[in-house]
Short mmCIF file of all heavy atoms in Angstrom, two decimals:
data_model
loop_
_atom_site.label_atom_id
_atom_site.label_comp_id
_atom_site.label_asym_id
_atom_site.label_seq_id
_atom_site.Cartn_x
_atom_site.Cartn_y
_atom_site.Cartn_z
N LEU A 188 34.79 -82.08 82.10
CA LEU A 188 34.01 -81.35 83.10
C LEU A 188 33.44 -80.07 82.51
O LEU A 188 32.28 -79.72 82.78
CB LEU A 188 34.90 -81.02 84.30
CG LEU A 188 35.51 -82.23 85.02
CD1 LEU A 188 36.48 -81.77 86.09
CD2 LEU A 188 34.43 -83.11 85.60
N ILE A 189 34.22 -79.39 81.70
CA ILE A 189 33.74 -78.17 81.06
C ILE A 189 32.71 -78.50 79.98
O ILE A 189 31.71 -77.81 79.83
CB ILE A 189 34.92 -77.38 80.47
CG1 ILE A 189 35.81 -76.88 81.60
CG2 ILE A 189 34.46 -76.23 79.61
CD1 ILE A 189 37.11 -76.28 81.16
N GLU A 190 32.95 -79.58 79.26
CA GLU A 190 32.08 -79.94 78.15
C GLU A 190 30.71 -80.42 78.64
O GLU A 190 29.68 -80.00 78.12
CB GLU A 190 32.75 -81.02 77.31
CG GLU A 190 32.03 -81.37 76.05
CD GLU A 190 32.09 -80.29 74.98
OE1 GLU A 190 32.93 -79.39 75.06
OE2 GLU A 190 31.26 -80.35 74.08
N TYR A 191 30.68 -81.29 79.63
CA TYR A 191 29.43 -81.94 80.03
C TYR A 191 28.88 -81.50 81.38
O TYR A 191 27.77 -81.86 81.73
CB TYR A 191 29.61 -83.46 80.05
CG TYR A 191 30.07 -83.99 78.73
CD1 TYR A 191 31.32 -84.56 78.59
CD2 TYR A 191 29.27 -83.89 77.60
CE1 TYR A 191 31.76 -85.05 77.37
CE2 TYR A 191 29.69 -84.35 76.37
CZ TYR A 191 30.94 -84.93 76.26
OH TYR A 191 31.38 -85.39 75.06
N GLY A 192 29.64 -80.75 82.17
CA GLY A 192 29.19 -80.30 83.48
C GLY A 192 29.67 -81.22 84.59
O GLY A 192 30.19 -82.31 84.34
N HIS A 193 29.49 -80.76 85.85
CA HIS A 193 29.97 -81.53 86.99
C HIS A 193 29.32 -81.02 88.27
O HIS A 193 28.67 -79.97 88.29
CB HIS A 193 31.50 -81.43 87.10
CG HIS A 193 32.01 -80.02 87.25
ND1 HIS A 193 32.21 -79.44 88.46
CD2 HIS A 193 32.35 -79.10 86.32
CE1 HIS A 193 32.66 -78.21 88.30
NE2 HIS A 193 32.75 -77.98 86.99
N LYS A 194 29.50 -81.77 89.33
CA LYS A 194 29.06 -81.34 90.65
C LYS A 194 30.08 -80.35 91.20
O LYS A 194 31.28 -80.53 91.03
CB LYS A 194 29.00 -82.52 91.61
CG LYS A 194 27.92 -83.51 91.33
CD LYS A 194 27.96 -84.61 92.36
CE LYS A 194 26.89 -85.65 92.12
NZ LYS A 194 26.96 -86.72 93.13
N ALA A 195 29.61 -79.32 91.89
CA ALA A 195 30.51 -78.36 92.53
C ALA A 195 30.85 -78.91 93.91
O ALA A 195 29.96 -79.15 94.73
CB ALA A 195 29.85 -77.00 92.64
N VAL A 196 32.12 -79.15 94.15
CA VAL A 196 32.56 -79.66 95.45
C VAL A 196 33.43 -78.60 96.12
O VAL A 196 34.04 -77.75 95.47
CB VAL A 196 33.35 -80.98 95.32
CG1 VAL A 196 32.45 -82.08 94.81
CG2 VAL A 196 34.55 -80.82 94.42
N GLY A 197 33.49 -78.70 97.45
CA GLY A 197 34.29 -77.76 98.23
C GLY A 197 35.77 -78.07 98.12
O GLY A 197 36.20 -79.00 97.45
N HIS A 198 36.55 -77.28 98.82
CA HIS A 198 38.01 -77.44 98.80
C HIS A 198 38.47 -78.43 99.86
O HIS A 198 37.70 -78.84 100.73
CB HIS A 198 38.68 -76.08 99.01
CG HIS A 198 38.42 -75.14 97.88
ND1 HIS A 198 39.03 -75.24 96.67
CD2 HIS A 198 37.57 -74.08 97.78
CE1 HIS A 198 38.60 -74.29 95.86
NE2 HIS A 198 37.70 -73.58 96.52
N ALA A 199 39.73 -78.80 99.81
CA ALA A 199 40.33 -79.73 100.76
C ALA A 199 40.25 -79.13 102.16
O ALA A 199 40.21 -77.91 102.30
CB ALA A 199 41.76 -80.01 100.38
N PRO A 200 40.19 -79.85 103.20
CA PRO A 200 40.42 -81.28 103.33
C PRO A 200 39.16 -82.14 103.17
O PRO A 200 39.25 -83.33 102.96
CB PRO A 200 40.98 -81.43 104.73
CG PRO A 200 40.33 -80.34 105.50
CD PRO A 200 40.17 -79.21 104.52
N ARG A 201 37.96 -81.54 103.27
CA ARG A 201 36.76 -82.38 103.28
C ARG A 201 36.17 -82.60 101.90
O ARG A 201 35.54 -83.63 101.66
CB ARG A 201 35.72 -81.76 104.21
CG ARG A 201 36.19 -81.84 105.63
CD ARG A 201 35.31 -81.25 106.68
NE ARG A 201 33.97 -80.92 106.32
CZ ARG A 201 33.16 -80.28 107.11
NH1 ARG A 201 33.57 -79.89 108.29
NH2 ARG A 201 31.95 -80.00 106.74
N LYS A 202 36.28 -81.68 100.99
CA LYS A 202 35.79 -81.79 99.61
C LYS A 202 34.33 -82.27 99.55
O LYS A 202 33.99 -83.21 98.86
CB LYS A 202 36.66 -82.72 98.78
CG LYS A 202 38.02 -82.18 98.50
CD LYS A 202 38.75 -83.04 97.50
CE LYS A 202 40.10 -82.44 97.21
NZ LYS A 202 40.84 -83.20 96.23
N ARG A 203 33.48 -81.62 100.30
CA ARG A 203 32.07 -81.99 100.32
C ARG A 203 31.31 -81.40 99.15
O ARG A 203 31.60 -80.31 98.70
CB ARG A 203 31.42 -81.49 101.60
CG ARG A 203 31.70 -82.33 102.77
CD ARG A 203 30.70 -82.02 103.83
NE ARG A 203 30.91 -82.91 104.94
CZ ARG A 203 30.42 -82.70 106.13
NH1 ARG A 203 29.71 -81.62 106.37
NH2 ARG A 203 30.62 -83.56 107.09
N PHE A 204 30.31 -82.15 98.72
CA PHE A 204 29.42 -81.68 97.68
C PHE A 204 28.47 -80.67 98.29
O PHE A 204 27.80 -80.95 99.28
CB PHE A 204 28.65 -82.87 97.09
CG PHE A 204 27.55 -82.50 96.14
CD1 PHE A 204 27.82 -81.74 95.02
CD2 PHE A 204 26.25 -82.93 96.36
CE1 PHE A 204 26.81 -81.40 94.13
CE2 PHE A 204 25.24 -82.59 95.48
CZ PHE A 204 25.52 -81.83 94.37
#
Side-chain angles (χ1 to χ4, degrees):
L188 300 174
I189 293 171
E190 187 71 17
Y191 303 114
H193 59 91
K194 291 181 180 179
V196 294
H198 294 285
R201 292 179 13 187
K202 291 189 178 181
R203 280 198 176 164
F204 172 57

